[in-house]
Amino acid sequence: MDHIAIAFHQIDVGNTAFMLLCTSLVMLMTPGLAFFYGGLVSRKDVLTIMLQSFVSMGWVAILWFVVGYSLCFGPTVNGIIGDPTYYAFLNGVEPWTMYTGNSGGIPLIVHIGYQMMFAIITPALITGAFANRVTFRAYMIFLTLWLLLVYCPFVHMVWSPNGLFAKWGVLDFAGGIVVHATAGFAALASALYVGKRAITKGGEHSIPFIALGAGLLWFGWYGFNAGSELRVNTVTVSAFFATDIAAACAAMTWLIIEYFHTRKPKFVGFLTGSIAGLATITPAAGYVSLQSAALIGILASLVCYFTVALMRKYLDDALDVFGVHGMGGITGSILLGVFATQVWNPQGASGLLDGNVNFLFKQIVAVVFASVWSFAVTYGILWFIDKLTPVRVKREYQLTGIDEGLLGEEAYPIN
């Protein structure tokens, strides 16, 4: 009873309620991603890619409970990974155990749950690159190995206080390096490994699905970014509005660029631009001014639009994961090194515009390291899985529809 009394004394009810809300918002992003990706693929393949997102909600949660949180936030092992035994099966985590990473007064369980939602959506982002081409068995092995060998080490290195990059001074407010750069370069490696689809024409089967998914992602991103302050203060508020401003500027920029190319205002382009803006502002949201956020949004669409156009000529990244998320995360992480200011976040850093070239250099080094690590390890994982079970879906299933071939289910049965 004494433990419970101490917990009630320490807990900040407002911050805890806010973080539970943010956890719920980030959870909603994964179903949002399922709808976004589901609308972009053909009607014969929609269930498979949606299942890949939803199954992450189940399997990654189990991995997180067993060892994931410990690998990310346990006592450091050479600054690269956490002690896998420290929080294994969340042993020792009690209702009254408080999170000590800041003075927000939230229970440790809240931090575990919030970070779990990030772990769930990150590998799910990669699925858009190999849409319609990877077997379910191979995907489950990939999901496991990628989380343990790529995602967890970078969470520890960047977000754990004793992590290698954290101690060096690298910043990533909500996942430009940890989430988007790693997922983007994993997408690039995946697309290279599995090769082109048997059918690349046909395009999106449901633009309303894409709009629903993008709306859920945009909505959930407020929890993704603002919640990364882990408490309510002025940084939380500025991160919230920086997120929206960047997304709006990016969406309109993409719409305008595409209009000049096609002479038509493309709805899918507008939605894709918003996601590019959200991905790009993610690492910088809590460290830059609102004016910088607007400029980051504009630059996000300029960089991502032309990257997507280039990638489509040479590589079958089916749903433009590298062009939007990978380049968005890289761009935002580097621009953070330019626009960061301690006027908006005293706990942050001064960027290039404030005369700090060293911080920009650190951001670039971290981005390059994360990109190379993710690409190389992802390619190695797929090669290893191929020795155990075929990675690529049979050509006949790609032609007739992988939902019926792999799942025995159809989204739109004729009868």
Side-chain angles (χ1 to χ4, degrees), residues 237-264:
V237 176
S238 65
F240 184 103
F241 283 102
T243 300
D244 192 72
I245 289 169
C249 290
M252 292 305 301
T253 301
W254 195 293
L255 185 73
I256 292 167
I257 296 171
E258 199 161 31
Y259 181 82
F260 278 108
H261 280 185
T262 67
R263 308 310 300 177
K264 294 179 181 178

mmCIF file of all heavy atoms in Angstrom, residues 237-264:
data_model
loop_
_atom_site.group_PDB
_atom_site.id
_atom_site.type_symbol
_atom_site.label_atom_id
_atom_site.label_comp_id
_atom_site.label_asym_id
_atom_site.label_seq_id
_atom_site.Cartn_x
_atom_site.Cartn_y
_atom_site.Cartn_z
ATOM 1 N N VAL A 237 3.139 22.018 -27.492
ATOM 2 C CA VAL A 237 2.231 22.841 -28.286
ATOM 3 C C VAL A 237 2.870 23.220 -29.619
ATOM 4 O O VAL A 237 2.235 23.115 -30.685
ATOM 5 C CB VAL A 237 1.825 24.105 -27.508
ATOM 6 C CG1 VAL A 237 0.955 25.013 -28.365
ATOM 7 C CG2 VAL A 237 1.092 23.726 -26.224
ATOM 8 N N SER A 238 4.108 23.653 -29.594
ATOM 9 C CA SER A 238 4.772 24.060 -30.843
ATOM 10 C C SER A 238 4.975 22.870 -31.762
ATOM 11 O O SER A 238 4.824 22.980 -32.990
ATOM 12 C CB SER A 238 6.111 24.747 -30.547
ATOM 13 O OG SER A 238 7.035 23.847 -29.958
ATOM 14 N N ALA A 239 5.285 21.686 -31.196
ATOM 15 C CA ALA A 239 5.448 20.484 -32.016
ATOM 16 C C ALA A 239 4.136 20.097 -32.678
ATOM 17 O O ALA A 239 4.104 19.669 -33.849
ATOM 18 C CB ALA A 239 5.968 19.330 -31.165
ATOM 19 N N PHE A 240 3.053 20.255 -31.961
ATOM 20 C CA PHE A 240 1.722 19.953 -32.503
ATOM 21 C C PHE A 240 1.431 20.814 -33.733
ATOM 22 O O PHE A 240 1.064 20.303 -34.795
ATOM 23 C CB PHE A 240 0.678 20.196 -31.414
ATOM 24 C CG PHE A 240 -0.731 19.827 -31.796
ATOM 25 C CD1 PHE A 240 -1.297 18.652 -31.326
ATOM 26 C CD2 PHE A 240 -1.504 20.644 -32.613
ATOM 27 C CE1 PHE A 240 -2.608 18.309 -31.655
ATOM 28 C CE2 PHE A 240 -2.800 20.317 -32.958
ATOM 29 C CZ PHE A 240 -3.354 19.134 -32.470
ATOM 30 N N PHE A 241 1.622 22.116 -33.608
ATOM 31 C CA PHE A 241 1.282 23.002 -34.718
ATOM 32 C C PHE A 241 2.329 22.987 -35.829
ATOM 33 O O PHE A 241 1.999 23.182 -36.999
ATOM 34 C CB PHE A 241 1.038 24.417 -34.205
ATOM 35 C CG PHE A 241 -0.311 24.558 -33.540
ATOM 36 C CD1 PHE A 241 -0.425 24.571 -32.160
ATOM 37 C CD2 PHE A 241 -1.462 24.641 -34.302
ATOM 38 C CE1 PHE A 241 -1.662 24.660 -31.551
ATOM 39 C CE2 PHE A 241 -2.705 24.729 -33.701
ATOM 40 C CZ PHE A 241 -2.817 24.738 -32.318
ATOM 41 N N ALA A 242 3.580 22.732 -35.479
ATOM 42 C CA ALA A 242 4.600 22.564 -36.514
ATOM 43 C C ALA A 242 4.262 21.369 -37.403
ATOM 44 O O ALA A 242 4.461 21.406 -38.630
ATOM 45 C CB ALA A 242 5.973 22.368 -35.868
ATOM 46 N N THR A 243 3.734 20.324 -36.784
ATOM 47 C CA THR A 243 3.324 19.130 -37.532
ATOM 48 C C THR A 243 2.248 19.468 -38.553
ATOM 49 O O THR A 243 2.327 19.080 -39.725
ATOM 50 C CB THR A 243 2.806 18.053 -36.556
ATOM 51 O OG1 THR A 243 3.854 17.713 -35.639
ATOM 52 C CG2 THR A 243 2.335 16.817 -37.291
ATOM 53 N N ASP A 244 1.245 20.205 -38.125
ATOM 54 C CA ASP A 244 0.141 20.534 -39.028
ATOM 55 C C ASP A 244 0.573 21.495 -40.133
ATOM 56 O O ASP A 244 0.199 21.320 -41.303
ATOM 57 C CB ASP A 244 -1.010 21.154 -38.235
ATOM 58 C CG ASP A 244 -2.281 21.236 -39.054
ATOM 59 O OD1 ASP A 244 -2.894 20.185 -39.306
ATOM 60 O OD2 ASP A 244 -2.647 22.347 -39.486
ATOM 61 N N ILE A 245 1.364 22.489 -39.780
ATOM 62 C CA ILE A 245 1.801 23.474 -40.772
ATOM 63 C C ILE A 245 2.665 22.817 -41.848
ATOM 64 O O ILE A 245 2.500 23.069 -43.041
ATOM 65 C CB ILE A 245 2.570 24.620 -40.074
ATOM 66 C CG1 ILE A 245 1.606 25.480 -39.264
ATOM 67 C CG2 ILE A 245 3.306 25.479 -41.097
ATOM 68 C CD1 ILE A 245 2.290 26.451 -38.335
ATOM 69 N N ALA A 246 3.585 21.959 -41.419
ATOM 70 C CA ALA A 246 4.454 21.279 -42.382
ATOM 71 C C ALA A 246 3.644 20.388 -43.315
ATOM 72 O O ALA A 246 3.879 20.357 -44.531
ATOM 73 C CB ALA A 246 5.507 20.454 -41.643
ATOM 74 N N ALA A 247 2.687 19.650 -42.753
ATOM 75 C CA ALA A 247 1.853 18.765 -43.573
ATOM 76 C C ALA A 247 1.046 19.566 -44.589
ATOM 77 O O ALA A 247 0.936 19.183 -45.766
ATOM 78 C CB ALA A 247 0.929 17.948 -42.676
ATOM 79 N N ALA A 248 0.469 20.686 -44.149
ATOM 80 C CA ALA A 248 -0.338 21.514 -45.041
ATOM 81 C C ALA A 248 0.505 22.107 -46.166
ATOM 82 O O ALA A 248 0.105 22.075 -47.347
ATOM 83 C CB ALA A 248 -1.009 22.627 -44.236
ATOM 84 N N CYS A 249 1.658 22.637 -45.820
ATOM 85 C CA CYS A 249 2.540 23.235 -46.841
ATOM 86 C C CYS A 249 3.034 22.182 -47.823
ATOM 87 O O CYS A 249 3.103 22.433 -49.037
ATOM 88 C CB CYS A 249 3.721 23.934 -46.163
ATOM 89 S SG CYS A 249 3.279 25.445 -45.273
ATOM 90 N N ALA A 250 3.350 21.004 -47.312
ATOM 91 C CA ALA A 250 3.831 19.938 -48.190
ATOM 92 C C ALA A 250 2.728 19.453 -49.120
ATOM 93 O O ALA A 250 2.970 19.214 -50.315
ATOM 94 C CB ALA A 250 4.362 18.776 -47.351
ATOM 95 N N ALA A 251 1.527 19.291 -48.593
ATOM 96 C CA ALA A 251 0.406 18.820 -49.420
ATOM 97 C C ALA A 251 0.118 19.794 -50.556
ATOM 98 O O ALA A 251 -0.082 19.382 -51.714
ATOM 99 C CB ALA A 251 -0.829 18.625 -48.545
ATOM 100 N N MET A 252 0.090 21.077 -50.249
ATOM 101 C CA MET A 252 -0.193 22.075 -51.282
ATOM 102 C C MET A 252 0.956 22.183 -52.281
ATOM 103 O O MET A 252 0.726 22.358 -53.485
ATOM 104 C CB MET A 252 -0.463 23.436 -50.630
ATOM 105 C CG MET A 252 -1.757 23.495 -49.836
ATOM 106 S SD MET A 252 -3.215 23.022 -50.808
ATOM 107 C CE MET A 252 -3.159 24.224 -52.154
ATOM 108 N N THR A 253 2.182 22.057 -51.801
ATOM 109 C CA THR A 253 3.340 22.105 -52.711
ATOM 110 C C THR A 253 3.294 20.944 -53.690
ATOM 111 O O THR A 253 3.503 21.119 -54.900
ATOM 112 C CB THR A 253 4.648 22.074 -51.917
ATOM 113 O OG1 THR A 253 4.684 23.189 -51.015
ATOM 114 C CG2 THR A 253 5.860 22.135 -52.841
ATOM 115 N N TRP A 254 3.016 19.740 -53.188
ATOM 116 C CA TRP A 254 2.931 18.563 -54.066
ATOM 117 C C TRP A 254 1.819 18.756 -55.097
ATOM 118 O O TRP A 254 1.982 18.441 -56.277
ATOM 119 C CB TRP A 254 2.670 17.313 -53.230
ATOM 120 C CG TRP A 254 2.912 16.019 -53.947
ATOM 121 C CD1 TRP A 254 2.205 15.510 -55.007
ATOM 122 C CD2 TRP A 254 3.933 15.050 -53.655
ATOM 123 N NE1 TRP A 254 2.708 14.302 -55.388
ATOM 124 C CE2 TRP A 254 3.777 13.980 -54.576
ATOM 125 C CE3 TRP A 254 4.951 14.969 -52.706
ATOM 126 C CZ2 TRP A 254 4.597 12.852 -54.571
ATOM 127 C CZ3 TRP A 254 5.769 13.856 -52.704
ATOM 128 C CH2 TRP A 254 5.604 12.807 -53.624
ATOM 129 N N LEU A 255 0.682 19.263 -54.638
ATOM 130 C CA LEU A 255 -0.462 19.498 -55.532
ATOM 131 C C LEU A 255 -0.078 20.447 -56.663
ATOM 132 O O LEU A 255 -0.412 20.218 -57.841
ATOM 133 C CB LEU A 255 -1.626 20.073 -54.727
ATOM 134 C CG LEU A 255 -2.951 20.265 -55.476
ATOM 135 C CD1 LEU A 255 -3.618 18.915 -55.733
ATOM 136 C CD2 LEU A 255 -3.882 21.172 -54.668
ATOM 137 N N ILE A 256 0.643 21.498 -56.316
ATOM 138 C CA ILE A 256 1.044 22.499 -57.311
ATOM 139 C C ILE A 256 2.061 21.920 -58.293
ATOM 140 O O ILE A 256 1.942 22.102 -59.505
ATOM 141 C CB ILE A 256 1.620 23.753 -56.603
ATOM 142 C CG1 ILE A 256 0.501 24.479 -55.832
ATOM 143 C CG2 ILE A 256 2.276 24.690 -57.612
ATOM 144 C CD1 ILE A 256 1.014 25.538 -54.865
ATOM 145 N N ILE A 257 3.062 21.221 -57.763
ATOM 146 C CA ILE A 257 4.073 20.624 -58.650
ATOM 147 C C ILE A 257 3.415 19.667 -59.641
ATOM 148 O O ILE A 257 3.678 19.709 -60.851
ATOM 149 C CB ILE A 257 5.145 19.871 -57.833
ATOM 150 C CG1 ILE A 257 5.935 20.827 -56.951
ATOM 151 C CG2 ILE A 257 6.109 19.130 -58.769
ATOM 152 C CD1 ILE A 257 6.856 20.124 -55.964
ATOM 153 N N GLU A 258 2.545 18.810 -59.124
ATOM 154 C CA GLU A 258 1.906 17.821 -59.990
ATOM 155 C C GLU A 258 0.954 18.481 -60.986
ATOM 156 O O GLU A 258 0.789 18.006 -62.114
ATOM 157 C CB GLU A 258 1.174 16.777 -59.140
ATOM 158 C CG GLU A 258 0.886 15.497 -59.894
ATOM 159 C CD GLU A 258 0.602 14.333 -58.982
ATOM 160 O OE1 GLU A 258 0.052 14.539 -57.875
ATOM 161 O OE2 GLU A 258 0.930 13.193 -59.366
ATOM 162 N N TYR A 259 0.344 19.579 -60.562
ATOM 163 C CA TYR A 259 -0.548 20.294 -61.474
ATOM 164 C C TYR A 259 0.231 20.836 -62.682
ATOM 165 O O TYR A 259 -0.238 20.766 -63.825
ATOM 166 C CB TYR A 259 -1.244 21.453 -60.747
ATOM 167 C CG TYR A 259 -2.193 22.224 -61.643
ATOM 168 C CD1 TYR A 259 -3.495 21.751 -61.876
ATOM 169 C CD2 TYR A 259 -1.801 23.399 -62.268
ATOM 170 C CE1 TYR A 259 -4.363 22.439 -62.708
ATOM 171 C CE2 TYR A 259 -2.662 24.089 -63.110
ATOM 172 C CZ TYR A 259 -3.944 23.607 -63.320
ATOM 173 O OH TYR A 259 -4.795 24.281 -64.147
ATOM 174 N N PHE A 260 1.426 21.339 -62.426
ATOM 175 C CA PHE A 260 2.244 21.844 -63.533
ATOM 176 C C PHE A 260 2.693 20.717 -64.462
ATOM 177 O O PHE A 260 2.906 20.934 -65.653
ATOM 178 C CB PHE A 260 3.465 22.596 -62.999
ATOM 179 C CG PHE A 260 3.164 24.018 -62.621
ATOM 180 C CD1 PHE A 260 3.130 24.398 -61.287
ATOM 181 C CD2 PHE A 260 2.899 24.969 -63.591
ATOM 182 C CE1 PHE A 260 2.845 25.713 -60.935
ATOM 183 C CE2 PHE A 260 2.619 26.280 -63.248
ATOM 184 C CZ PHE A 260 2.588 26.663 -61.923
ATOM 185 N N HIS A 261 2.804 19.513 -63.926
ATOM 186 C CA HIS A 261 3.224 18.371 -64.746
ATOM 187 C C HIS A 261 2.064 17.750 -65.520
ATOM 188 O O HIS A 261 2.244 17.263 -66.639
ATOM 189 C CB HIS A 261 3.885 17.312 -63.875
ATOM 190 C CG HIS A 261 5.312 17.625 -63.557
ATOM 191 N ND1 HIS A 261 6.144 16.756 -62.874
ATOM 192 C CD2 HIS A 261 6.079 18.710 -63.818
ATOM 193 C CE1 HIS A 261 7.345 17.297 -62.739
ATOM 194 N NE2 HIS A 261 7.319 18.480 -63.293
ATOM 195 N N THR A 262 0.881 17.713 -64.899
ATOM 196 C CA THR A 262 -0.254 17.007 -65.502
ATOM 197 C C THR A 262 -1.400 17.914 -65.917
ATOM 198 O O THR A 262 -2.314 17.460 -66.598
ATOM 199 C CB THR A 262 -0.806 15.963 -64.523
ATOM 200 O OG1 THR A 262 -1.383 16.631 -63.385
ATOM 201 C CG2 THR A 262 0.293 15.018 -64.047
ATOM 202 N N ARG A 263 -1.353 19.160 -65.466
ATOM 203 C CA ARG A 263 -2.427 20.142 -65.695
ATOM 204 C C ARG A 263 -3.724 19.735 -65.015
ATOM 205 O O ARG A 263 -4.809 20.197 -65.389
ATOM 206 C CB ARG A 263 -2.677 20.377 -67.191
ATOM 207 C CG ARG A 263 -1.441 20.711 -68.012
ATOM 208 C CD ARG A 263 -0.600 21.824 -67.414
ATOM 209 N NE ARG A 263 -1.341 23.089 -67.272
ATOM 210 C CZ ARG A 263 -0.831 24.186 -66.719
ATOM 211 N NH1 ARG A 263 0.414 24.164 -66.225
ATOM 212 N NH2 ARG A 263 -1.557 25.285 -66.626
ATOM 213 N N LYS A 264 -3.622 18.871 -63.987
ATOM 214 C CA LYS A 264 -4.797 18.459 -63.230
ATOM 215 C C LYS A 264 -4.445 18.397 -61.744
ATOM 216 O O LYS A 264 -3.343 17.985 -61.385
ATOM 217 C CB LYS A 264 -5.279 17.071 -63.679
ATOM 218 C CG LYS A 264 -5.815 17.042 -65.110
ATOM 219 C CD LYS A 264 -6.239 15.638 -65.503
ATOM 220 C CE LYS A 264 -6.751 15.628 -66.942
ATOM 221 N NZ LYS A 264 -7.142 14.261 -67.381
#
